Amino acid sequence: MKKIITIDGLASSGKSTLSRLLAKKLHWNWLSSGVLYRGFAYVGHKENLKTDEDYLAFIKSSQWRVDLTPEKSLFFYKNQDVTDKIYQEWVDDLSSTLSVRIRLREKLIPIQRDFYNSEKGLIIEGRDSGTVIFPEALLKIFLIAPEQTRAQRRAKDRKEDEKFILKSQKERDRRDQNRPFAPVKQPESSLVLSSEKYSPEEMMNQVYKEYQKVFSS
């Protein structure tokens, strides 16, 4: 029985907050798959990467790494922690365009799976964690929230204009839900939670109860 919990949902649906709380509760590792796409989008801009071959060559290099911490997934570029820099709206938009590149997504599947540690356990959050990366996970969560609520949340966190955030978010949602490979969708047998209806702590408690049932049986 693999100790894996997947958490999926659209942008700003509360995935990272819930993942962080669960990781602390369970003392598991947690991986934000989005940090990979954001990181490579940022690097692509810096390195002027254009083609799939450019990105695939960089991914094979030793110029990047991801470290897992209790607070967040950290992206390092040339041994420099650039995590704070990759959480900008322009990076999000660019990472969303990268996410539709099938060859890149296929390349990142085994990389994400390699973060699983059987001793530690893994919470992984993203867009396709429970449908593609770990479809065999025993506990899958899918978070939902209205687009306006998600845009307000993102604008507040990043101190950016809400109308600008909402516009870019709608385009990102469209790409994420309609890409030909690994589109965002509710995994089968997943627990659906509304991050508008419940607080992060309430969601964490619900997931923890489900965890106790699933992993003790």
Side-chain angles (χ1 to χ4, degrees):
M1 181 184 296
K2 288 187 175 181
K3 296 189 292 184
I4 298 171
I5 297 175
T6 66
I7 302 176
D8 290 313
L10 292 170
S12 296
S13 55
K15 301 183 298 295
S16 293
T17 301
L18 177 58
S19 297
R20 186 178 297 110
L21 291 172
L22 275 174
K24 290 180 179 179
K25 179 76 171 179
L26 300 177
H27 302 289
W28 286 13
N29 288 330
W30 78 276
L31 169 68
S32 170
S33 62
V35 80
L36 290 166
Y37 291 97
R38 291 189 185 97
F40 292 130
Y42 177 82
V43 167
H45 176 74
K46 289 290 186 181
E47 297 279 339
N48 197 31
L49 306 180
K50 299 294 184 183
T51 67
D52 285 358
E53 285 69 26
D54 291 340
Y55 279 98
L56 292 172
F58 183 85
I59 290 171
K60 292 178 181 178
S61 77
S62 60
Q63 296 188 67
W64 71 277
R65 76 175 192 272
V66 170
D67 289 353
L68 305 185
T69 76
E71 290 299 321
K72 62 174 67 175
S73 301
L74 303 177
F75 191 91
F76 286 79
Y77 166 49
K78 295 182 177 178
N79 290 321
Q80 296 294 316
D81 182 359
V82 297
T83 309
D84 290 341
K85 295 180 180 180
I86 68 176
Y87 283 91
Q88 303 177 69
E89 198 64 21
W90 72 266
V91 179
D92 284 345
D93 290 341
L94 185 54
S95 69
S96 181
T97 63
L98 282 185
S99 71
V100 302
R101 297 192 180 192
I102 295 177
R103 291 177 66 193
L104 295 186
R105 294 200 72 90
E106 290 178 334
K107 179 66 176 180
L108 293 181
I109 290 174
I111 290 175
Q112 292 176 75
R113 288 174 178 166
D114 284 344
F115 281 98
Y116 172 68
N117 182 314
S118 60
E119 295 296 322
K120 189 75 173 177
L122 180 69
I123 296 163
I124 176 171
E125 53 105 339
R127 305 289 200 274
D128 61 350
S129 303
T131 55
V132 176
I133 310 303
F134 290 110
E136 77 280 14
L138 296 180
L139 181 52
K140 304 174 185 180
I141 313 300
F142 191 71
L143 298 187
I144 58 173
E147 65 177 21
Q148 191 69 48
T149 300
R150 293 186 287 118
Q152 290 172 350
R153 183 181 295 154
R154 199 179 195 89
K156 181 179 179 180
D157 289 344
R158 300 191 176 182
K159 297 179 174 60
E160 296 185 17
D161 180 70
E162 186 179 318
K163 290 183 179 179
F164 170 71
I165 294 287
L166 180 59
K167 181 180 179 181
S168 61
Q169 177 183 276
K170 285 182 176 180
E171 179 59 25
R172 191 160 52 250
D173 287 350
R174 184 193 64 79
R175 283 195 296 262
D176 288 345
Q177 292 176 305
N178 294 287
R179 62 193 178 214
F181 181 71
V184 178
K185 62 181 180 179
Q186 179 186 339
E188 293 184 8
S189 305
S190 60
L191 173 64
V192 180
L193 295 173
S194 168
S195 60
E196 179 186 45
K197 181 178 180 181
Y198 299 108
S199 70
E201 290 75 18
E202 289 172 330
M203 290 194 298
M204 190 274 289
N205 289 332
Q206 290 189 59
V207 176
Y208 184 69
K209 289 179 182 178
E210 198 67 20
Y211 156 82
Q212 290 179 307
K213 289 192 295 184
V214 170
F215 287 91
S216 64
S217 61

